[in-house]
Amino acid sequence: MNPQPAVKPTMKPIYQCEPHIHQTMQSVKDQLHQLCRHHAKRLVRVETVDGDVFEGHIVHCDRGIVYLRLSNEGSERGFFPGPPPPLHNNFVLPLVLFNLLTISLL
């Protein structure tokens, strides 16, 4: 006798992104991805939507995340309270592209 497969209850989403918003977000992600790839290894200042500011070199950009190797200037705010750690300039910070407000070349 074959056991019957378990019936999964239908899940009702509590949030679903509108198609036009999804399309806009995808477009912004693609644009930022290309911009970050084009400026790889450049020194930049990044400001997040939460007001945190970081300075460093773009190391890599992949799947909606930019990897920033922090410099010693401008990166203490928010993320690093107090003096920077000894190997601070070797720290690579992953930042989600959707959380970025500005990227400026230095």
Side-chain angles (χ1 to χ4, degrees):
M1 192 172 197
N2 290 337
Q4 290 192 352
V7 177
K8 292 184 180 179
T10 304
M11 294 188 331
K12 182 178 178 184
I14 59 172
Y15 170 77
Q16 185 167 353
C17 186
E18 297 291 332
H20 69 282
I21 294 174
H22 178 257
Q23 186 177 23
T24 300
M25 290 172 65
Q26 186 64 46
S27 175
V28 168
K29 181 177 129 181
D30 292 344
Q31 179 184 3
L32 285 172
H33 179 82
Q34 290 302 320
L35 180 117
C36 289
R37 285 187 54 188
H38 179 69
H39 292 91
K41 299 183 174 140
R42 299 283 305 267
L43 180 61
V44 295
R45 175 179 289 134
V46 175
E47 183 178 351
T48 69
V49 295
D50 295 323
D52 293 319
V53 178
F54 304 100
E55 288 184 9
H57 291 83
I58 296 174
V59 176
H60 185 66
C61 187
D62 186 37
R63 301 175 61 122
I65 298 175
V66 62
Y67 297 89
L68 194 66
R69 182 175 312 281
L70 297 180
S71 66
N72 285 328
E73 304 85 35
S75 54
E76 293 85 18
R77 183 168 174 246
F79 195 77
F80 295 107
L87 296 176
H88 184 247
N89 62 346
N90 289 325
F91 187 82
V92 176
L93 179 67
L95 296 168
V96 178
L97 293 178
F98 289 121
N99 287 339
L100 304 184
L101 185 60
T102 62
I103 301 173
S104 305
L105 292 175
L106 298 177

